[in-house]
Amino acid sequence: MKNRNSGSGRISAKWIPIICIASFVLGVLITSSCSLLLLFSKADEIVTSDRWLHRMWAPPESNGQLMSHRRQEQELPTVADDCNTKTKPAPNSDVMESIHKTQDAVQLVRSLDKQISMLNKELSTTRSSREMGISDGSAATSFLPQNGAPRKKAFVVIGINTAFSSRKRRDSVRMTWMPQGEKLVQLEREKGIVVRFMIGHSATANSILDRAIDLEESLHKDFLRLEHVEGYHELSSKTKIFFATAVAKWDADFYVKVDDDVHVNLGMLATTLARHRSKPRVYIGCMKSGPVLSRSDVKYHEPEYWKFGEEGNKYFRHATGQIYAISKDLATYISINQPILHKYANEDVSLGSWFIGLEVEHIDEHNMCCGTPPDCEWKAEAGNVCVASFDWSCSGICKSVEKIKFVHSKCGEGDGAVWSAVY
């Protein structure tokens, strides 16, 4: 009994090899399954990486392909929307018409801007040509002398305003501060100072007045004839024409207008102007601001008084008309724009108005409006020689034909001053 019970609890020796083989096979199967899973995972990663690299390095699609893809992408949601919603109504026709009109207006404005820009360029070119004195048969010929010769270089051109009836005044000026004959030519050649009596012509062609000036010119050769009909109330026009004529004939740094009843020291004038030589646009003189006279029965009446505001107002600052100087740029500006420069009754007011709104430096030079002796005499004795002297009460030297010699003897700088002046 004992031997039978102990033998039934043991495994037979025949099953041991079978169990070992089965365990081995099962282990191999489990190991193989894990390896395959790992291999599949790696393969999937490789495929994913390959697709990413293909996207990164693939050549860009053509415009047609790209548009086709985008169209397909847009059509899909559109089809879906059409299935679920109704088609949206077209925009209001009035709104579309307004949009089209706005677009047309914008295009028109751009076109006009281009045309204006082109016209401005052409205008600038024309003005530059005129200023340089280039003559091609156009309006630029006004900057050239009649004989077509180039302009003469000068430091200052002085125009002495005179009239047909002022022969004695002219002679008194010639005998005092204005050189004559060869001295006048030498002054222009060596010092660059040009001095001329400026005068127009009479209303009647070749009248006795014109012939008298022609005879005087043949004797002294000190006139600048202007294309202008003489008249006291035409001084503004005469001033414009003088500057235009002078600019066409001489290329100067300064242009001066002075009346024929004013005493001038040429050396001091040149020295004074030279201090402002580096400034492009200067307006030099005794600046004043007198009342605007609205009454028609008074001297210096201003018919356009209403333009200056309420009654009793004053003019803007401007140089007194007895003598003033302007730089080359301003004289050129007057020459170019003379057809559209407005003329007031008084010449000095007109000149001042032409520079309103421009970048111009107004220089108040009191040395250009000294009184007659003893005023200018005292200043000369103190070493402050005046540029110009006259009587304010007469708007010039009172009885200048008789008195200018006395003024010259008391207030003159000396005959050699202009030749030794450094500027």
Side-chain angles (χ1 to χ4, degrees):
M1 291 295 294
K2 184 177 179 180
N3 293 336
R4 187 179 298 171
N5 291 337
S6 61
S8 61
R10 296 178 180 177
I11 299 174
S12 176
K14 295 179 181 181
W15 289 99
I16 292 175
I18 296 173
I19 292 171
C20 290
I21 293 171
S23 298
F24 174 76
V25 172
L26 181 61
V28 170
L29 290 175
I30 293 173
T31 304
S32 299
S33 298
C34 292
S35 298
L36 287 173
L37 289 174
L38 182 60
L39 180 62
F40 290 154
S41 176
K42 293 293 184 179
D44 185 62
E45 291 179 2
I46 292 172
V47 171
T48 302
S49 300
D50 182 69
R51 289 177 180 175
W52 181 80
L53 289 173
H54 178 73
R55 291 178 183 176
M56 289 295 294
W57 296 101
E61 294 178 312
S62 64
N63 291 337
Q65 293 175 339
L66 183 60
M67 292 177 64
S68 177
H69 290 326
R70 290 181 177 175
R71 190 179 296 112
Q72 291 176 1
E73 292 174 356
Q74 293 174 355
E75 287 176 353
L76 290 175
T78 302
V79 172
D81 291 341
D82 289 342
C83 295
N84 298 323
T85 61
K86 295 182 179 180
T87 304
K88 294 182 179 180
N92 192 325
S93 60
D94 293 338
V95 175
M96 294 300 297
E97 184 178 356
S98 299
I99 293 174
H100 290 315
K101 288 182 178 179
T102 302
Q103 292 175 346
D104 293 340
V106 171
Q107 292 178 355
L108 178 61
V109 170
R110 289 176 179 174
S111 177
L112 290 174
D113 285 341
K114 290 181 180 179
Q115 293 179 11
I116 292 172
S117 178
M118 292 176 63
L119 289 174
N120 285 333
K121 290 180 180 179
E122 292 177 2
L123 180 60
S124 299
T125 302
T126 301
R127 287 184 173 179
S128 298
S129 299
R130 293 179 66 183
E131 186 173 354
M132 294 300 294
I134 299 174
S135 176
D136 57 356
S138 64
T141 55
S142 63
F143 273 80
L144 286 177
Q146 293 181 355
N147 58 7
R151 294 186 298 165
K152 297 179 181 179
K153 185 66 178 176
F155 172 64
V156 58
V157 175
I158 303 170
I160 306 173
N161 182 38
T162 191
F164 289 118
S165 59
S166 300
R167 172 64 187 267
K168 291 183 178 180
R169 283 188 179 182
R170 291 192 291 273
D171 287 340
S172 67
V173 170
R174 292 182 180 116
M175 289 186 293
T176 53
W177 62 268
M178 180 180 179
Q180 286 299 293
E182 182 58 32
K183 288 289 185 181
L184 187 65
V185 177
Q186 184 182 359
L187 184 68
E188 179 178 343
R189 182 177 62 249
E190 296 182 6
K191 306 300 292 186
I193 300 176
V194 179
V195 187
R196 297 287 189 276
F197 289 106
M198 59 167 175
I199 194 168
H201 55 82
S202 64
T204 304
N206 198 30
S207 68
I208 188 173
L209 297 175
D210 291 313
R211 292 198 300 271
I213 294 297
D214 292 339
L215 178 60
E216 193 175 345
E217 164 65 9
S218 65
L219 294 174
H220 299 283
K221 300 187 184 304
D222 55 5
F223 278 93
L224 176 63
R225 301 302 298 270
L226 307 177
E227 290 298 325
H228 166 74
V229 177
E230 284 293 322
Y232 178 78
H233 296 290
E234 296 297 329
L235 289 179
S236 294
S237 294
K238 186 176 183 179
T239 300
K240 287 197 297 183
I241 295 172
F242 160 65
F243 285 122
T245 305
V247 167
K249 192 173 180 65
W250 292 281
D251 179 15
D253 294 328
F254 295 96
Y255 298 84
V256 174
K257 176 262 175 182
V258 60
D259 290 337
D260 60 4
D261 55 355
V262 173
H263 180 268
V264 178
N265 285 314
L266 292 176
M268 184 55 62
L269 173 62
T271 303
T272 301
L273 296 178
R275 294 201 299 266
H276 309 288
R277 200 171 193 172
S278 61
K279 303 172 183 177
R281 293 172 299 278
V282 289
Y283 173 33
I284 309 171
C286 290
M287 299 295 165
K288 65 175 185 177
S289 177
V292 180
L293 303 177
S294 58
R295 290 177 52 187
S296 59
D297 59 342
V298 297
K299 191 178 182 181
Y300 306 125
H301 162 63
E302 179 57 72
E304 297 181 272
Y305 62 89
W306 59 273
K307 289 185 177 180
F308 298 91
E310 301 298 328
E311 185 176 355
N313 280 359
K314 292 185 176 182
Y315 288 112
F316 41 78
R317 287 282 172 182
H318 61 278
T320 186
Q322 286 82 358
I323 181 173
Y324 49 75
I326 61 175
S327 58
K328 178 195 301 186
D329 285 0
L330 296 184
T332 303
Y333 170 80
I334 293 173
S335 179
I336 292 174
N337 297 284
Q338 59 171 321
I340 59 173
L341 294 178
H342 185 70
K343 298 173 293 184
Y344 290 100
N346 300 301
E347 160 245 344
D348 52 355
V349 173
S350 295
L351 183 76
S353 71
W354 299 338
F355 303 146
I356 293 293
L358 302 182
E359 287 293 338
V360 176
E361 182 177 353
H362 290 57
I363 298 176
D364 189 9
E365 183 57 71
H366 289 278
N367 207 27
M368 295 176 71
C369 55
C370 297
T372 55
D375 180 48
C376 60
E377 183 180 8
W378 291 342
K379 292 178 180 177
E381 291 174 353
N384 299 319
V385 178
C386 293
V387 172
S389 303
F390 57 88
D391 296 311
W392 281 102
S393 59
C394 298
S395 297
I397 298 176
C398 298
K399 298 181 179 180
S400 64
V401 174
E402 295 83 13
K403 191 177 178 181
I404 195 170
K405 291 182 181 179
F406 172 72
V407 175
H408 185 66
S409 64
K410 297 295 183 180
C411 304
E413 61 188 352
D415 294 338
V418 65
W419 304 103
S420 60
V422 179
Y423 48 87

